[in-house]
């Protein structure tokens, strides 16, 4: 009996040790406290709209006293997340900028685990058919134009990870609705993984990627986490993705170096393709950056790679959008 009790005691200690180890690993690699909510002038509202027989949901932020004809910025979350997560994941950066610069922000929710972007690989279905996210997002824009009075010609979209991939699909298939998009931690799918049907060129595009992204390879290849989880098919490299849109928008010539800076020990490479003031393409490489948008308000989980607090990604994206108006 004593031997059995001693054995059970060892088992309990081993179990407790394992639980403690799992807790420590979770705390180190995954847990990251939310950023502090800033003082904001406007109101955050929940909304819904039915598109394609599905109820779709979103959060919207409208600064106090927003004038008619103001811009609208869609901000899309990553895989398995929702509107609340991208708000904190950007450090409420777009709402801070909305107060300062006078634009509305909307955070739409995907219906499945992923946004239905240009990749063939992923979870895009509901009720036996692929979710029409382009239809949802364009219908949402139409609704907000009526509800908030934003300008139809001043609509922009950005997103991180899966949300970034979806931004690229909007640039290709809904250029008349979105004046410019900015994709963070997202590249153009490789030809064998590409399913989009591009429409007319004309949407300006920014691609912002970290060189040490452990999920979306900066140099191209298979999208995955630790080689085992979340396989999303092959993508082009970050630079090739920017060149793809420069070619799509018929911008000839080599890109110009717009800015090369060092921020907290991390270099930021900033290239631009320009076309006589029409559509333009920007490429921002965060050297030493991981998966996610760099910003000064929130440090991402270590599992996603290095999390530089500079440059201010939302600020760079808004500056890019503001030039397109």
């Amino acid at each position: 009996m004593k031997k059995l009790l001693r054995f059970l005691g060892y088992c309990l200690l081993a179990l407790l040790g394992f639980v403690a180890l799992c807790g420590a690993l979770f705390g180190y690699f995954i847990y990251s406290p939310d950023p502090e909510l800033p003082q904001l002038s406007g109101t955050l509202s929940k909304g819904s709209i039915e598109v394609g027989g599905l109820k779709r949901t979103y959060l919207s932020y409208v600064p106090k006293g927003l004038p008619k004809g103001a811009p609208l910025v869609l901000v899309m979350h990553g895989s398995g997340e929702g509107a609340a997560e991208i708000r904190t994941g950007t450090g409420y950066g777009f709402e801070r900028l909305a107060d300062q610069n006078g634009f509305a922000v909307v955070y739409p929710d995907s219906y499945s685990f992923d946004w239905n972007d240009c990749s063939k690989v992923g979870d895009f279905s509901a009720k036996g058919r692929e979710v029409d996210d382009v239809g949802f997002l364009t219908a949402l824009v139409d609704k907000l134009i009526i509800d908030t009075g934003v300008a139809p010609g001043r609509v922009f979209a950005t997103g991180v990870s899966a949300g970034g991939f979806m931004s690229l699909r909007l640039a290709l298939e809904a250029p008349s609705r979105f004046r410019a998009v900015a994709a963070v931690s997202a590249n153009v799918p490789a030809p064998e993984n590409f399913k989009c049907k591009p429409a007319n060129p004309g949407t300006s595009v920014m691609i912002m990627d970290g060189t040490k992204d452990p999920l979306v390879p900066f140099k191209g290849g298979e999208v995955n986490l630790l080689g085992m989880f979340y396989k999303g098919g092959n993508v082009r490299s970050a630079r090739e993705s920017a060149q793809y849109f420069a070619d799509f928008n018929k911008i000839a010539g080599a890109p110009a170096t717009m800015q090369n800076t060092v921020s907290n020990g991390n270099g930021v490479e900033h290239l631009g393709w320009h076309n006589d003031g029409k559509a333009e393409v920007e490429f921002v490489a965060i050297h030493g950056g991981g998966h996610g948008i760099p910003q000064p308000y929130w440090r991402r989980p270590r599992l996603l790679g290095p999390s530089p607090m500079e440059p201010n990604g939302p600020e760079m994206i808004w500056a890019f959008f503001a030039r397109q108006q």
Side-chain angles (χ1 to χ4, degrees), residues 9 27 37 40 64 89 92 94 115 119 139 208 233 247 250 259 261 279 282:
L37 181 66
L40 300 167
K64 184 178 180 180
Y92 310 103
F94 288 100
W115 289 100
S119 303
M208 179 185 295
D247 295 340
K250 297 179 172 58
Q259 184 180 359
T261 61
E282 281 196 27

Side-chain angles (χ1 to χ4, degrees), residues 201-286:
T203 297
S204 293
V205 175
M206 170 188 277
I207 292 177
M208 179 185 295
D209 287 344
T211 61
K212 292 187 177 180
D213 190 326
L215 208 154
V216 178
F218 183 82
K219 295 183 178 180
E222 185 183 46
V223 174
N224 66 74
L225 184 59
L226 303 178
M228 300 179 289
F229 306 107
Y230 184 71
K231 299 204 174 218
N234 290 331
V235 296
R236 302 169 191 246
S237 73
R239 176 63 183 269
E240 288 170 341
S241 297
Q243 186 65 58
Y244 172 91
F245 277 100
D247 295 340
F248 181 69
N249 282 326
K250 297 179 172 58
I251 307 175
T257 299
M258 300 177 65
Q259 184 180 359
N260 282 327
T261 61
V262 176
S263 179
N264 281 352
N266 293 309
V268 180
E269 181 184 2
H270 198 173
L271 304 178
W273 290 256
H274 301 279
N275 188 16
D276 297 328
K278 298 177 182 178
E280 61 178 295
V281 175
E282 281 196 27
F283 170 62
V284 181
I286 311 297

Side-chain angles (χ1 to χ4, degrees), residues 4-58:
L4 176 60
L5 291 175
R6 189 180 299 114
F7 174 74
L8 292 175
Y10 290 150
C11 290
L12 179 60
L13 288 174
L15 178 61
L16 291 174
F18 178 74
V19 170
L21 177 61
C22 289
L25 291 174
F26 176 86
Y28 185 81
F29 287 106
I30 299 176
Y31 175 73
S32 182
D34 288 345
E36 182 179 351
L37 181 66
Q39 288 189 336
L40 300 167
S41 72
T43 303
L44 184 74
S45 304
K46 293 182 180 180
S48 65
I49 182 174
E50 186 168 318
V51 179
L54 301 174
K55 181 181 178 181
R56 307 301 301 268
T57 57
Y58 62 91

Side-chain angles (χ1 to χ4, degrees), residues 113-134:
F113 185 82
D114 291 316
W115 289 100
N116 190 1
D117 57 50
C118 287
S119 303
K120 293 180 180 179
V121 179
D123 176 15
F124 313 123
S125 63
K127 299 182 180 179
R129 58 194 176 103
E130 284 198 1
V131 176
D132 181 8
D133 279 328
V134 173

